[in-house]
Amino acid sequence: MTEIVFTPIGTVHSPFSDPRDMPIQPVGARGVRGTIELDPACAAGLQDLAGFSRIIVLYHFHRSNGYSLEVVPFLDKTPRGVFATRAPRRPNAIGISMLRLIAVDGATLTVEDVDILDGTPVLDIKPYVPAFDAYPDERAGWLTTTSGAARTMRSDDRFC
């Protein structure tokens, strides 16, 4: 395969400095506030973003080393294929979170529902559009019976 190189466009600032005991999904981080500081050269790309209530943030799991194609995810005790999970130790350590957008101020975004480690490099930001991005009636595989636990589940050291 051909190597792909990304340059971060910004950095997440959150109250989470240790990957242990932090929320595993934005639903478990309701009301947790943070910021995303973009490279000032990218600030023009934020034009019109303030009209959206949520954004999709793609980021690099910068503290994740190596990967396994089979993992025991936080919400289960059964080994699962990594691509059927949202585990951070992946062949390409890319994360995704849907965050509430509170404010845009220059090159800084204030966001809520932050489940991202402080200092995480941001790769891209996209607007969340319910008409395009919400499919509530679709199947959720093995997560159908456990996804509700994401509101209270906290990470541990299994992916550190």
Side-chain angles (χ1 to χ4, degrees):
M1 295 229 144
T2 304
E3 181 180 45
I4 301 170
V5 177
F6 290 102
T7 301
I9 61 169
T11 305
V12 172
H13 297 288
S14 80
F16 306 111
S17 59
D18 188 328
R20 291 175 292 256
D21 200 37
M22 59 183 281
I24 62 165
Q25 293 295 324
V27 70
R30 296 274 192 218
V32 174
R33 203 168 266 217
T35 60
I36 297 173
E37 286 187 38
L38 285 189
D39 179 327
C42 295
L46 296 174
Q47 181 179 336
D48 303 316
L49 190 64
F52 295 86
S53 62
R54 287 202 172 265
I55 56 174
I56 300 168
V57 181
L58 297 165
Y59 49 91
H60 173 59
F61 286 122
H62 67 296
R63 300 255 309 262
S64 180
N65 295 314
Y67 69 91
S68 177
L69 294 176
E70 190 175 271
V71 299
V72 177
F74 293 121
L75 295 173
D76 202 9
K77 293 181 174 135
T78 303
R80 306 283 181 179
V82 72
F83 301 125
T85 76
R86 294 189 173 192
R89 293 188 67 216
R90 329 179 59 76
N92 288 309
I94 297 171
I96 183 172
S97 291
M98 281 18 138
L99 305 180
R100 180 171 301 284
L101 180 62
I102 303 301
V104 178
D105 182 18
T108 301
L109 305 177
T110 301
V111 292
E112 279 188 354
D113 305 343
V114 178
D115 66 330
I116 306 168
L117 196 61
D118 186 57
T120 295
V122 175
L123 302 176
D124 199 6
I125 297 168
K126 300 177 185 299
Y128 174 84
V129 182
F132 304 161
D133 301 320
Y135 299 93
D137 298 329
E138 298 299 325
R139 294 175 302 159
W142 66 270
L143 281 162
T144 300
T145 59
T146 62
S147 62
R151 293 182 187 280
T152 57
M153 175 71 72
R154 294 297 182 252
S155 64
D156 52 29
D157 62 357
R158 77 182 79 186
F159 297 114
C160 293

